[in-house]
Amino acid sequence: LEAKSLSSKILKIVSSLSVSPLALGLYTVNAIYGDTITMPCPLEVPDGLMFGKWKYEMPNGSPVFIAFRSSTKKNVQYDDVPDYKDRLSLSENYTLSIKNARISDEKRFVCMLVTEDDVSEEPTIVRVFKQPSQPEILHQANLLETEKLQMLGECVSRDSYPEGNVTWYKNGRVLHPVDDVVVINLQKIVDRTTGLFTMTSSLQYMPTKEDLNAKFSCIVTYFGPSGQKTMQSEPVVFDVHYPTEKVTIQVLPQSSTIKEGDNITLKCSGNGNPPPQEFLFYIPGETEGIRSSDTYVMTDVRRNATGEYKCSLTDKSMMDSTTITVHYLDLQLTPSGEVTKQIGEALPVSCTISSSRNATVFWIKDNTRMQTSPSFSSLQYQDAGNYVCETTLQEVEGLRKRQTLKLIVEGKPQIKMTKKTNTNKMSKTIICHVEGFPKPAVQWTVTGSGSIVNKTEETKYVNGKFSSKIVIAPEENVTLTCIAENELERTVTSMNVSANDNSEKVNDQAKLIVGIVVGLLLVALIAGVVYWLYVKKSKTASKHVDKDLGNIEENKKLEENNHKSET
C-alpha cells in the first residue's frame, strides 16, 4: 500500500512539472555486446531526496519503470519486466547496471530523483556495439578462365552490430564494379533473435592471364565504441587458365657452342596455363613433325646435325625455330706414328686441319712447344724425337685434336780420331768421335807395346754423337784402332802413336820445311809469269808512242806552210 501511494504521488508531481528532459542535455553510454552496461545517474543527489527511479522509453514514448531505490529505508525494488529479469543492479548512488548487454538494450533510459517538492529527470542513451567475425571467402571457384565472367567467391562476416560494409581487394587495391567484368552484390541479413547482422558480398569476375597468382581478399568495415574499424580476410589465390599464345623452343644445356659428341635437348614450351604437354618437333631433312613431350633428346650429335630446328603445337597453329651449329675439328698428320729415316734424307711433313671455325695449330717436340712447323730437307740426328701436331677451336670449350709422329733418324757409324799429349809428357789421350744411330758400340785395340793409364771412358750420347777416349803411355810406336758398330754397319779407324815426342816434333818440322820449299817455288813461278806479261805490254806501248810523235811533226810542218802563204 505504501509503494502504491508513493507511485501515485510521484505521478502527480511529474504531471505538475513542465521540465523537458532535453533541456538538461543527453548522456550516451557505449557498451560492448555481452558486457555489463553501467549508467551513472547524471543528476546530483538533492537534499531531502525521497527515492530514485530508472525507466526507459518505448518507441511510442510511453515509459517503462524498471528499478526503484528508497533513500530512507535503503531498500531496492525491480519492476517485473521480462527483458531485464535478473539483469539489473541499482547502487546507492543510483548507478544502474545491466548485465549481458543485448542489442535490445539500445534505448533511452531516464534517471529520476524525487523530493517532496520536485522530480528531476536526466536521460541516458545506450548504444551497443558488436565486432563482427573475421571475414572469410567461401564458395571459392576451383579455377578461373579468361574471357569468362564467373563467380569467384563470397565474402562472409557474421554477427555485427551495427551493420558493416564489405569491400573487395586484388593485390591490395580496391575492386570497383565494372559492367560484365567486376560484379559485386552485398546482402545484409539480421538475426531476429539477437539483432546481429551477417554481411555477404559475392564477387563475379572476368580474369586475365595477369591475374595468375593474384591475391584476392575482402575487408569488412564496422563501428565500435571508439569509431570505425576494419578487419581483413585471409588472401586467396586462384589458378587462372588461359590459352597458349606463343611457342618457344630452347636448346639445353644453354651453351653458346655445341661440338661433335655432345648430347643436346630441344625443349618446347607454350605460354598458356596449363602449358601444353605435347608438341611436334621438326628436324632438318624431315618433312613430318615428330610428336613428343615438351623435350626431344639428341645424343652424340655429328656435324650433319647442323641446321634449323622447329617445334609447334600439335595442331600446327603456332611455331618457333632455332638454328643449331655443331662445331667440328679434324686433323690429319702425314706421316704419323713411328717413322724411321736415314740421316741426310728429306722428309716432308704436313698437318692438315678441317674445322667449322678458324683453328689454332701448334707443334710440340719432346714436350717443348716449337716456334715453327718442322721441315726436314736433310735429316740430322738432332731431328729425331716425338712430334705432336695439336689444334684447338678457342671459342669451343673442349674441342681439341692431336696426332703424333715418332721420328727415328738412323745412320751408319762415322769415326774421327784425335790425340793430344798430356801435360806430364808421358801419356797421350786418344779420342774416338763417333756418330751413328742406333748408338754404336765402341771397342779399342792396341797394337804395340804400351801401358793403358786409364780405361776407356764414354761421353753422354746426344743427338747421335758421343766420344770414347783412352789414355795410353806408349813404350814404342803403337797403333790404336777404334771400332764402332751398330745394326747398320761396322766401321774401323786406326791411328799411329809414337813413343817419342821429339821424333814427332822432327817429323812435324820436316813436314813444315817441305811445305815452305814448295811455297817458295810457287811464288817464283808466279813472279816469272807476271814479269813476262809486263815486258810484253811495255813493247806494245812504245810502238804507239812513236806513231804519235810522227803525227805531231807532220802537223808542225803543215802549220809553217800555211803561215808562209798568208804572208
Side-chain angles (χ1 to χ4, degrees):
L1 291 176
E2 182 179 358
K4 288 182 179 180
S5 61
L6 185 60
S7 297
S8 61
K9 185 175 180 179
I10 292 172
L11 290 174
K12 289 180 181 179
I13 296 174
V14 170
S15 62
S16 65
L17 298 174
S18 58
V19 178
S20 173
L22 295 177
L24 301 176
L26 295 177
Y27 296 89
T28 302
V29 173
N30 294 330
I32 301 299
Y33 184 86
D35 290 353
T36 298
I37 305 171
T38 301
M39 291 181 287
C41 182
L43 298 170
E44 292 185 7
V45 178
D47 294 337
L49 179 65
M50 297 173 59
F51 59 88
K53 217 170 180 12
W54 279 89
K55 66 178 179 178
Y56 69 85
E57 296 178 351
M58 296 290 287
N60 59 8
S62 59
V64 178
F65 290 94
I66 56 174
F68 166 87
R69 187 180 186 92
S70 171
S71 64
T72 56
K73 295 184 179 182
K74 307 298 183 182
N75 64 325
V76 179
Q77 294 180 3
Y78 300 103
D79 294 86
D80 187 13
V81 179
D83 283 349
Y84 293 99
K85 185 178 181 181
D86 300 328
R87 295 175 60 210
L88 300 177
S89 175
L90 185 59
S91 65
E92 291 182 359
N93 62 355
Y94 299 96
T95 296
L96 179 65
S97 298
I98 304 175
K99 294 187 296 183
N100 192 20
R102 304 171 183 173
I103 303 304
S104 58
D105 295 331
E106 197 170 71
K107 298 182 178 71
R108 179 185 173 101
F109 291 85
V110 179
C111 176
M112 301 175 58
L113 297 180
V114 180
T115 64
E116 286 286 346
D117 303 323
D118 192 11
V119 175
S120 299
E121 290 187 358
E122 187 68 34
T124 297
I125 302 300
V126 173
R127 298 184 64 186
V128 179
F129 297 90
K130 170 66 169 65
Q131 175 181 305
S133 62
Q134 182 179 5
E136 55 182 336
I137 299 176
L138 304 177
H139 308 119
Q140 300 176 20
N142 293 328
L143 58 91
L144 302 178
E145 295 183 45
T146 56
E147 308 301 325
K148 182 185 293 186
L149 182 68
Q150 58 198 113
M151 183 65 71
L152 184 144
E154 293 180 339
C155 180
V156 179
S157 181
R158 298 180 175 87
D159 301 332
S160 174
Y161 192 86
E163 64 187 55
N165 197 18
V166 177
T167 305
W168 283 92
Y169 287 80
K170 183 184 81 171
N171 293 332
R173 294 186 176 183
V174 177
L175 277 175
H176 298 285
V178 178
D179 291 343
D180 299 327
V181 177
V182 179
V183 179
I184 299 173
N185 184 23
L186 177 62
Q187 289 183 337
K188 300 177 181 180
I189 300 174
V190 62
D191 188 316
R192 293 183 179 181
T193 302
T194 62
L196 300 176
F197 288 90
T198 295
M199 289 77 67
T200 301
S201 178
S202 63
L203 173 61
Q204 289 179 283
Y205 186 70
M206 181 184 291
T208 64
K209 64 180 183 180
E210 285 75 22
D211 291 322
L212 184 67
N213 299 321
K215 294 181 179 180
F216 291 85
S217 62
C218 60
I219 290 180
V220 61
T221 303
Y222 64 96
F223 290 91
S226 59
Q228 191 179 65
K229 295 184 177 182
T230 59
M231 190 183 304
Q232 184 173 0
S233 70
E234 292 294 332
V236 293
V237 177
F238 296 91
D239 188 15
V240 180
H241 285 194
Y242 48 86
T244 295
E245 298 176 347
K246 183 180 179 181
V247 169
T248 303
I249 187 171
Q250 288 179 290
V251 180
L252 302 177
Q254 293 181 342
S255 173
S256 58
T257 55
I258 299 171
K259 63 182 182 298
E260 284 191 324
D262 285 349
N263 300 330
I264 60 176
T265 299
L266 298 177
K267 181 175 178 60
C268 201
S269 59
N271 64 347
N273 186 43
Q277 299 300 309
E278 283 191 329
F279 296 88
L280 293 176
F281 289 88
Y282 297 87
I283 310 302
E286 300 290 339
T287 56
E288 295 296 325
I290 301 173
R291 195 181 189 99
S292 177
S293 64
D294 61 346
T295 57
Y296 182 80
V297 179
M298 297 187 294
T299 59
D300 191 24
V301 294
R302 301 287 101 188
R303 67 193 66 181
N304 57 5
T306 296
E308 185 180 38
Y309 292 78
K310 302 176 182 179
C311 77
S312 71
L313 297 178
T314 54
D315 61 1
K316 303 180 182 179
S317 59
M318 299 176 191
M319 183 175 291
D320 190 28
S321 64
T322 185
T323 299
I324 293 177
T325 300
V326 180
H327 292 281
Y328 62 91
L329 180 61
D330 295 333
L331 183 151
Q332 181 63 44
L333 176 60
T334 304
S336 62
E338 184 174 308
V339 175
T340 301
K341 302 294 288 183
Q342 298 298 313
I343 189 169
E345 290 184 346
L347 177 64
V349 176
S350 65
C351 188
T352 306
I353 306 300
S354 175
S355 60
S356 56
R357 288 187 182 177
N358 290 333
T360 301
V361 181
F362 56 92
W363 284 87
I364 299 172
K365 179 187 178 185
D366 297 332
N367 299 320
T368 301
R369 187 161 179 166
M370 301 177 66
Q371 299 300 317
T372 59
S373 301
S375 177
F376 307 115
S377 58
S378 177
L379 285 169
Q380 302 300 315
Y381 292 119
Q382 58 266 29
D383 294 328
N386 293 312
Y387 292 84
V388 177
C389 179
E390 186 167 315
T391 181
T392 61
L393 286 186
Q394 294 182 350
E395 300 91 343
V396 183
E397 183 179 357
L399 193 53
R400 178 187 299 265
K401 294 291 181 67
R402 59 160 46 194
Q403 286 190 10
T404 60
L405 165 65
K406 183 178 181 181
L407 176 59
I408 300 173
V409 179
E410 290 186 341
K412 299 176 181 178
Q414 300 292 324
I415 296 176
K416 178 182 179 182
M417 295 183 70
T418 61
K419 64 179 178 179
K420 66 177 181 177
T421 302
N422 297 329
T423 55
N424 58 12
K425 306 297 183 178
M426 300 299 293
S427 62
K428 294 176 172 41
T429 299
I430 313 302
I431 302 175
C432 183
H433 303 275
V434 183
E435 294 184 12
F437 186 88
K439 180 183 178 181
V442 175
Q443 291 181 331
W444 287 89
T445 61
V446 180
T447 303
S449 177
S451 60
I452 297 176
V453 177
N454 284 328
K455 294 183 178 180
T456 56
E457 296 179 4
E458 289 187 2
T459 60
K460 188 176 180 181
Y461 182 66
V462 178
N463 294 330
K465 300 178 180 180
F466 72 104
S467 61
S468 177
K469 69 178 180 178
I470 187 171
V471 179
I472 189 170
E475 298 175 358
E476 59 183 23
N477 293 343
V478 297
T479 301
L480 290 177
T481 302
C482 178
I483 304 171
E485 182 177 6
N486 62 10
E487 299 171 359
L488 303 179
E489 193 174 82
R490 184 173 185 267
T491 302
V492 178
T493 301
S494 298
M495 174 181 283
N496 295 322
V497 179
S498 300
N500 188 344
D501 284 340
N502 293 329
S503 63
E504 290 183 3
K505 290 181 180 179
V506 170
N507 290 337
D508 291 340
Q509 291 175 356
K511 292 178 182 178
L512 179 60
I513 292 170
V514 172
I516 291 173
V517 171
V518 172
L520 292 174
L521 292 175
L522 288 174
V523 169
L525 177 61
I526 292 170
V529 172
V530 170
Y531 177 75
W532 176 79
L533 291 174
Y534 172 75
V535 171
K536 184 177 181 181
K537 186 175 180 181
S538 298
K539 289 180 179 180
T540 304
S542 64
K543 290 180 181 180
H544 285 290
V545 172
D546 293 338
K547 185 177 181 180
D548 290 339
L549 291 174
N551 290 335
I552 293 172
E553 292 295 331
E554 289 178 359
N555 289 335
K556 286 183 177 180
K557 290 179 179 182
L558 287 173
E559 288 178 1
E560 290 176 354
N561 292 331
N562 290 333
H563 182 68
K564 287 179 180 182
S565 59
E566 288 177 1
T567 304

